[in-house]
Amino acid sequence: MAKTCIVAHDTGTGGDKAVLTDLEGRVMGSAYRPYGVDYPRADWAEQDPDGLWRAFAATTREVLEQAGIDPAEVLGVGVSAQMFNLLPVDADCRPVTPMLSWQDVRSVTQADRLLEPATRAFLFEHTANVPTAKDVIPKILWLKEERPDLWERTRWLLDCKEYILFRLTGLVGIDWHGASVFFLFDPYEKAWDRTVCERLGIPVEKLPPTYPPTQVVGEVTAAAAAETGLAAGTPVVICAGDVAVAQSGSGANRDGKAHLCIGTATWVGVSSATLRNDPGTPFWALNHIDPGKWVIAGEMESGGGALQWYRNVLCADEARTALERGVSTYRVLDEQAGAAPAGSDGLVFTPWLAGERAPVLDHYARGGFTGLSLGHTKGHLTRAVMEGVACHIRWIVEAMEHVGFAIPAMQAIGGGSASELWTQIIADVTGRPLHVVEHPLEAGAMGAALTVAVGLGVYPDMDAIDDLIHVRRVVEPQAANDEVYGHLYGTFRELYGALAPLYRGDPPGR
C-alpha cells in the first residue's frame, strides 16, 4: 500500500492538535482535544502528563477516522509540543511529579541566584542563553533542593514532548532544539555541556540522549498502536518543540526570514546561519531543525494569553452574546475593539501578566491598565489589550534589529493571527507587514509534519519547506495611525521604566 500521508501533533499548553497531511504538508484533517493547567498554589502551574498522552491518543485516532485513512498509509509520525517544562520520571519513565509548566515560577529563588553577574555571564558564554524562573534550570534546582525525596527517585529529566515520545515509541531521547531549551546544551557541539552541568550540580546522566530533529528514532509500539489507532511499526521522527516547528510551519526556514507566533505565549523568531544574542537582554538562542542554523527568538510571556485572560475574567457578557449568536467570544471582542479609536483614547495596557522574558528578563513584572477615565468604554479596554501586546511585539522587533537582524516583514501564525483587526493593529504599531499563512492554526503541526517529510527523505532539507507554505493574506501598515501609535509606544516604554522598580519591591528613590 502506498504511504501517502503524515500524522503530526502540536501538544500545546491548552490542548493537543493533531493533523493529517499529504506529503506536501496540505492538511487533510485535524482534531483538537483541550485540557487544563492546574494552579495548586500561588506561582505554581502543573499539568498531568498522562492527561496529555490521553489527548494525544484520542486526537490521533479521531483524525485517522475522520479522514477514513488506513493506518498503513501513514508514512511517519512527528510530535511537537510546548517547551520549557520539567517532567522528572523514574527508571520506568513513570512521572514522579506532575509536569511543572513553563508558566510555573516557584523557582524564583533559584533563578535569582542564576542571575547573579558571574553565573549569568558563565551561562551566556557556554550556552548563549540566560534563564529566568520559567526556564528549566531553576526548576531542576528547585526539585533538587526543595524535594530531595523526589530527586532521588528521578532517573530522567524530560520536557513535555519527550514524555509523549516515550509513550509512543518506548524511547528516551530529546532533539537538539529541545535540548537547547534546557540552557545546558552546547549550541555548537550539539551535546550536553558537562562544564555547565558540573558548575550547577546537575548530573548529566539524568539528561536524555540527544538526536538531530530529522532523525527517525523509533517506531510506534504495539501498546501505543492500540491506543492511537496508528499501525505498529510506523516510523517516528523525533521532530522538535513548538518554537522550531512554528519557524518551519510559517515558511521562515531560510536564513534571515522571520515569523510572528501569536499564541498563549507570543514570540518573534528569526532563522539565522550565525549565532547572535545580546548578553544584556538576551533572546532565546536555540538550535534550529536545520543543523546549520539557529532560531533566535524574542518571546513575551502573555501575548495571546493576555487577551485570553481578559476574555475569561472580564467578558462574561460577551461570552453570553457569542453563545446566543453562535460565534466565538473573540469575534465579539473584535467587533467591540473595532468600535474604539486607534490609541484607545490614551488608555494603555501593559501585558506583563506573568513576568517578561524579552527584551527584558524580569519575572517580577506585572500587567495593568493605565490612564483609565470615566469616558472609557469596554471597547476601549478590549482594544487597549490588543494594542499593548502590539507595543511589546514592536519592542522585541526593535531590540532584535539592534542586535543586527533585519525584520522587514513577518510570517504570521497562531490563534491571534486569525483576527483581521488584531493583525492590522500589530502591523500598524510595528510598521511591518504581516504575511498571514494559509493555515495559521495548524502551522505548528504542519511544521512537524514537514520535518517528518525531510527526515524520511521526501525533501532534501528544511529550506525546501518554505516553498510549500502559502500566504493567505498580507496585512500592510496604515500610515494614518503612525502618529497616534508612535505616541502610544513611547508611553508604553516609559511605563515599564517607571513600574519595574515597584514590581521588584525597590524602595522609592533607589
Side-chain angles (χ1 to χ4, degrees):
M1 180 177 287
K3 295 187 181 294
T4 58
C5 54
I6 293 168
V7 172
H9 283 260
D10 183 0
T11 304
T13 305
D16 179 88
K17 166 68 69 69
V19 298
L20 183 75
T21 77
D22 65 14
L23 300 186
E24 293 187 356
R26 288 186 289 256
V27 176
M28 302 161 62
S30 66
Y32 181 76
R33 183 68 61 94
Y35 40 70
V37 181
D38 298 320
Y39 303 96
R41 302 186 196 177
D43 296 331
W44 290 34
E46 301 177 341
Q47 289 188 290
D48 173 15
D50 293 319
L52 272 58
W53 166 253
R54 288 192 295 271
F56 175 95
T59 55
T60 305
R61 186 175 291 279
E62 183 179 342
V63 79
L64 291 170
E65 292 174 352
Q66 178 190 103
I69 292 292
D70 186 326
E73 296 179 57
V74 176
L75 176 68
V77 181
V79 186
S80 180
Q82 55 175 307
M83 298 190 296
F84 300 91
N85 313 281
L86 177 66
L87 178 60
V89 299
D90 65 17
D92 296 317
C93 274
R94 291 187 299 253
V96 303
T97 70
M99 185 174 75
L100 278 64
S101 166
W102 61 270
Q103 298 176 326
D104 191 292
V105 289
R106 72 184 69 180
S107 58
V108 166
T109 299
Q110 288 77 16
D112 283 345
R113 252 186 6 238
L114 296 168
L115 291 175
E116 292 173 357
T119 304
R120 176 181 176 134
F122 170 82
L123 290 172
F124 187 84
E125 177 189 356
H126 284 266
T127 71
N129 287 286
V130 177
T132 73
K134 291 194 173 181
D135 288 314
V136 179
I137 296 174
K139 290 177 170 63
I140 292 174
L141 296 178
W142 179 90
L143 182 72
K144 181 181 178 183
E145 295 166 8
E146 303 293 333
R147 293 301 307 270
D149 55 326
L150 299 179
W151 178 256
E152 288 302 317
R153 291 172 50 199
T154 298
R155 172 63 185 90
W156 299 109
L157 298 163
L158 305 181
D159 202 335
C160 176
K161 177 175 71 69
E162 287 59 52
Y163 184 67
I164 301 294
L165 182 75
F166 170 76
R167 294 292 299 264
L168 190 62
T169 67
L171 169 92
V172 175
I174 191 169
D175 65 279
W176 289 345
H177 176 75
S180 68
V181 159
F182 276 55
F183 299 171
L184 297 168
F185 194 69
D186 186 318
Y188 296 104
E189 297 298 325
K190 312 290 194 285
W192 297 114
D193 192 312
R194 290 183 175 273
T195 303
V196 173
C197 290
E198 288 171 7
R199 167 91 171 244
L200 299 179
I202 297 173
V204 72
E205 295 77 17
K206 289 184 183 287
L207 301 171
T210 65
Y211 301 91
T214 54
Q215 184 163 324
V216 177
V217 290
E219 299 176 342
V220 175
T221 66
E227 292 190 71
T228 63
L230 292 163
T234 303
V236 177
V237 173
I238 196 167
C239 230
D242 55 3
V243 178
V245 298
Q247 192 77 34
S248 297
S250 67
N253 284 288
R254 292 191 174 106
D255 185 30
K257 292 191 74 173
H259 87 282
L260 169 66
C261 179
I262 316 168
T264 304
T266 294
W267 64 83
V268 177
V270 179
S271 289
S272 178
T274 58
L275 181 57
R276 279 179 285 171
N277 206 348
D278 183 342
T281 54
F283 307 106
W284 284 333
L286 308 175
N287 285 81
H288 200 286
I289 294 172
D290 181 335
K293 296 193 187 81
W294 290 267
V295 179
I296 312 300
E299 186 247 16
M300 60 180 302
E301 300 284 33
S302 301
L307 190 63
Q308 184 181 52
W309 165 84
Y310 176 76
R311 178 201 65 179
N312 293 345
V313 175
L314 298 174
C315 295
D317 288 345
E318 289 76 10
R320 282 191 291 270
T321 299
L323 186 62
E324 291 167 2
R325 292 173 50 189
V327 299
S328 164
T329 306
Y330 291 117
R331 164 71 84 69
V332 176
L333 293 178
D334 271 5
E335 295 167 357
Q336 193 180 70
S344 302
D345 286 327
L347 179 61
V348 184
F349 176 74
T350 53
W352 314 310
L353 301 177
E356 205 44 84
R357 184 186 294 273
V360 290
L361 284 173
D362 188 350
H363 41 243
Y364 294 101
R366 293 296 180 264
F369 289 97
T370 302
L372 273 168
S373 74
L374 293 173
H376 284 122
T377 66
K378 192 69 169 291
H380 286 95
L381 269 71
T382 306
R383 188 180 187 105
V385 172
M386 295 179 174
E387 290 175 338
V389 171
C391 283
H392 199 94
I393 292 169
R394 175 173 169 177
W395 193 7
I396 290 171
V397 168
E398 290 182 354
M400 295 186 78
E401 290 189 328
H402 181 72
V403 174
F405 296 105
I407 306 179
M410 294 177 282
Q411 304 283 104
I413 63 169
S417 66
S419 166
E420 292 190 9
L421 175 66
W422 204 0
T423 49
Q424 187 64 64
I425 288 172
I426 293 169
D428 291 353
V429 171
T430 64
R432 288 157 178 83
L434 300 185
H435 297 177
V436 181
V437 303
E438 192 171 13
H439 298 286
L441 301 181
E442 283 84 25
M446 285 176 63
L450 291 168
T451 301
V452 172
V454 172
L456 292 171
V458 179
Y459 300 101
D461 52 37
M462 296 305 296
D463 280 6
I465 300 307
D466 285 358
D467 298 328
L468 305 175
I469 306 299
H470 305 293
V471 173
R472 174 182 292 173
R473 58 189 176 92
V474 177
V475 186
E476 295 285 352
Q478 300 174 124
N481 289 329
D482 283 354
E483 184 176 353
V484 66
Y485 280 144
H487 177 74
L488 174 68
Y489 179 64
T491 302
F492 180 90
R493 291 288 303 274
E494 289 177 9
L495 280 171
Y496 177 76
L499 294 172
L502 301 179
Y503 298 136
R504 287 193 297 268
D506 291 349
R510 270 189 64 179

